Amino acid sequence: MAILIYNIITIASIPFLLPFFLYRVLFDPSYRKGTGNRLGVLPEEIKNGVDDGIRRYWFHAVSVGEVMAAAPLVKIFKDRHPASIIIFSTVTDTGNRTARGQIPEIDHLIYFPFDLFWIVRRVVMAMRPRLFIFFETEIWPNLLLHLKSEGIPSVMINGRISDRSFGRYKLVRKALKGVLGSVALFLMQTEKDREKIVALGANPYKVFNTGNTKYDRALELIMREKGCGLTRADLNIPDGSVVLVAGSTHQGEEEILIDVFQRILAGYPDAVMIIAPRHLDRLGKIEALIASSGHTFFRRSKPGEGLEAKGGTIIILDTIGELSNLYKISTIAFVGGSLVPVGGHNILEPAAHGRPVIFGPYMDNFHEIATLIAGRGGAVQAQDRDDLYMKIDKLLSDRESLERMGVEAKRFVMENSGATEKSMKLIERYIN
């Protein structure tokens, strides 16, 4: 009954979404460029090769964060199975672009289909994957049940369930149990996540705590960027300047950060701040906000027309895939989505670069990681605007503590790496 209601609600939403997708299909070249669409229309090259005898594997990640977490697993998978075909799907445009730019091992990149039974049936028949691997808790009832009926195993990687989601899932536990029963393997981020998925009805013998591949991704980025990538000189930032990098910020946070930055300048007049918004469609609003504050600013893609980024300058990151590089040149890194009730974002990249990390009170999505790294002395939590200023000012005034925090942050990431290899060993059961 619950699945029936789910399908009725999904179908009822189609009239509202159809105009949007018609516009995308007709007028947006990036959406039509070999990626199919969410109505289940796949590129011809995917459908034409289903009888060639080559094994196909379907990886799915919703958006940028999940795509970055998927990258190390896709790489090791392709290294060990070079003859296989990797089909990778995302939901968001930014996720799609990130996958195209960051995971060269992908053979076919598509948009994830709507979870309607006739659409997912058509997609699975056209694709014929040997295995479906999805990242974090993307539970799509129709797809997972249909894959099960076709004898195609599905594997959840980096599984996590926030306290809020757990409460919601418990309301539909009976219906959810059948869907979870269609999943062959659950590889969860933490022991707490493992216990939650079992409590919701997953077979405990199919659930493992393998850790988070984002630790491995963070280390991979460091190794890739050694001796290359962005430098302060690329952004015209003088050597010796204090650089505050605010990554993945959301609406409501930039105003706080600009105010804190203004107060920091009183003691450190050479300071520069870099703001990297989570959503680039907000760039105009952020520019207007900075302009009203009186600060000099420019976009990363237009580095001040050769002008030096002097003290008080704010740089806006308007590119995709460079945030990790910017964390590398920071004195202190703030990770956004945490001063407003969004749930926080990945704190592992700045930590892996050996940078002190600060985040706000809303870290539901990374609660365990945030708690552990703060307990190790690699990060601190600020409760509000004033607390954020005091924490940054205190660190800047005690360079020994600042350096020690960066060392502990990197050590924490190093000690928790290895989830990709653990996951791959368990996935091999379904490949061999």
Side-chain angles (χ1 to χ4, degrees):
M1 178 60 71
I3 299 298
L4 177 61
I5 294 173
Y6 166 79
N7 279 308
I8 291 173
I9 294 173
T10 306
I11 293 171
S13 67
I14 290 178
F16 300 98
L17 296 171
L18 193 56
F20 168 74
F21 280 100
L22 285 174
Y23 170 81
R24 295 289 302 281
V25 170
L26 293 173
F27 301 108
D28 189 343
S30 66
Y31 194 66
R32 290 180 283 134
K33 188 179 179 180
T35 55
N37 60 52
R38 298 200 66 193
L39 298 176
V41 178
L42 296 178
E44 287 300 320
E45 59 265 27
I46 294 180
K47 295 185 288 184
N48 291 341
V50 293
D51 297 319
D52 55 14
I54 300 176
R55 293 188 176 190
R56 295 155 164 258
Y57 298 95
W58 181 4
F59 288 75
H60 172 62
V62 180
S63 192
V64 176
E66 295 80 11
V67 169
M68 301 298 270
L73 185 66
V74 174
K75 183 180 187 305
I76 194 173
F77 193 102
K78 193 71 169 180
D79 286 345
R80 296 182 186 180
H81 302 277
S84 64
I85 290 179
I86 302 293
I87 302 170
F88 198 100
S89 64
T90 69
V91 171
T92 69
D93 294 338
T94 53
N96 201 275
R97 290 195 296 270
T98 301
R100 188 182 301 279
Q102 299 292 322
I103 313 181
E105 295 81 10
I106 294 173
D107 295 293
H108 300 293
L109 180 62
I110 64 172
Y111 281 95
F112 189 76
F114 275 130
D115 191 44
L116 292 167
F117 56 89
W118 69 85
I119 292 180
V120 298
R121 184 190 303 126
R122 183 195 316 137
V123 169
V124 171
M125 288 182 64
M127 193 186 298
R128 296 183 193 174
R130 295 293 297 265
L131 186 66
F132 175 62
I133 299 173
F134 59 112
F135 285 78
E136 302 200 9
T137 315
E138 278 290 292
I139 300 175
W140 300 103
N142 286 314
L143 175 62
L144 294 174
L145 290 169
H146 183 66
L147 288 169
K148 172 74 171 179
S149 70
E150 293 293 322
I152 300 170
S154 53
V155 179
M156 177 189 291
I157 306 288
N158 273 13
R160 67 178 178 87
I161 301 177
S162 67
D163 292 338
R164 181 186 299 178
S165 297
F166 185 58
R168 293 172 180 170
Y169 284 141
K170 283 197 296 186
L171 298 176
V172 292
R173 184 179 180 278
K174 288 185 179 180
L176 190 62
K177 185 175 182 180
V179 177
L180 295 180
S182 65
V183 178
L185 196 60
F186 297 88
L187 306 182
M188 311 302 287
Q189 292 187 19
T190 68
E191 183 62 23
K192 189 176 180 181
D193 292 314
R194 190 194 70 80
E195 293 171 356
K196 286 178 180 177
I197 201 78
V198 170
L200 292 173
N203 184 336
Y205 296 103
K206 295 182 178 181
V207 184
F208 299 85
N209 172 15
T210 52
N212 191 336
T213 61
K214 288 182 179 179
Y215 288 101
D216 299 325
R217 174 60 178 174
L219 290 176
E220 179 189 315
L221 286 172
I222 291 176
M223 297 305 295
R224 183 190 301 177
E225 292 164 2
K226 279 189 174 180
C228 62
L230 286 175
T231 65
R232 293 191 175 200
D234 293 325
L235 296 172
N236 302 327
I237 300 174
D239 290 338
S241 296
V242 168
V243 178
L244 305 178
V245 173
S248 300
T249 60
H250 286 255
Q251 184 172 345
E253 291 186 310
E254 290 90 5
E255 182 179 355
I256 296 173
L257 290 163
I258 293 170
D259 177 63
V260 168
F261 179 55
Q262 182 64 46
R263 295 162 71 180
I264 290 295
L265 285 172
Y268 304 90
D270 67 335
V272 173
M273 182 164 69
I274 302 174
I275 294 178
R278 183 69 172 181
H279 302 114
L280 296 184
D281 58 359
R282 298 181 51 246
L283 288 171
K285 294 180 180 179
I286 295 170
E287 286 181 323
L289 187 64
I290 299 172
S292 66
S293 72
H295 288 283
T296 301
F297 69 92
F298 58 82
R299 294 191 181 192
R300 148 66 180 138
S301 60
K302 301 174 182 178
E305 300 179 354
L307 299 176
E308 186 176 62
K310 297 180 181 179
T313 300
I314 297 177
I315 302 170
I316 305 172
L317 181 66
D318 61 345
T319 59
I320 295 175
E322 290 191 312
L323 180 55
S324 176
N325 264 313
L326 289 177
Y327 283 138
K328 180 176 65 176
I329 67 174
S330 68
T331 307
I332 296 175
F334 167 81
V335 178
S338 60
L339 283 172
V340 291
V342 170
H345 289 294
N346 187 6
I347 59 179
L348 296 175
E349 287 185 9
H353 280 295
R355 296 297 180 262
V357 183
I358 298 182
F359 49 84
Y362 302 102
M363 286 294 289
D364 300 24
N365 295 338
F366 297 87
H367 175 73
E368 184 155 340
I369 291 175
T371 300
L372 290 172
I373 193 171
R376 282 286 300 271
V380 293
Q381 187 172 46
Q383 297 303 316
D384 52 33
R385 181 189 310 241
D386 291 336
D387 195 30
L388 178 61
Y389 162 71
M390 288 188 290
K391 294 282 172 59
I392 293 175
D393 185 61
K394 183 178 180 181
L395 284 172
L396 292 176
S397 64
D398 185 353
R399 289 307 177 104
E400 186 177 332
S401 295
L402 187 76
E403 292 179 10
R404 184 166 58 248
M405 182 180 290
V407 169
E408 288 300 328
K410 186 171 184 178
R411 185 176 295 161
F412 173 79
V413 175
M414 298 288 288
E415 291 176 358
N416 285 279
S417 62
T420 301
E421 184 61 41
K422 292 176 186 176
S423 299
M424 192 64 199
K425 284 182 179 178
L426 290 165
I427 291 171
E428 290 283 2
R429 298 179 183 180
Y430 297 92
I431 297 175
N432 299 327

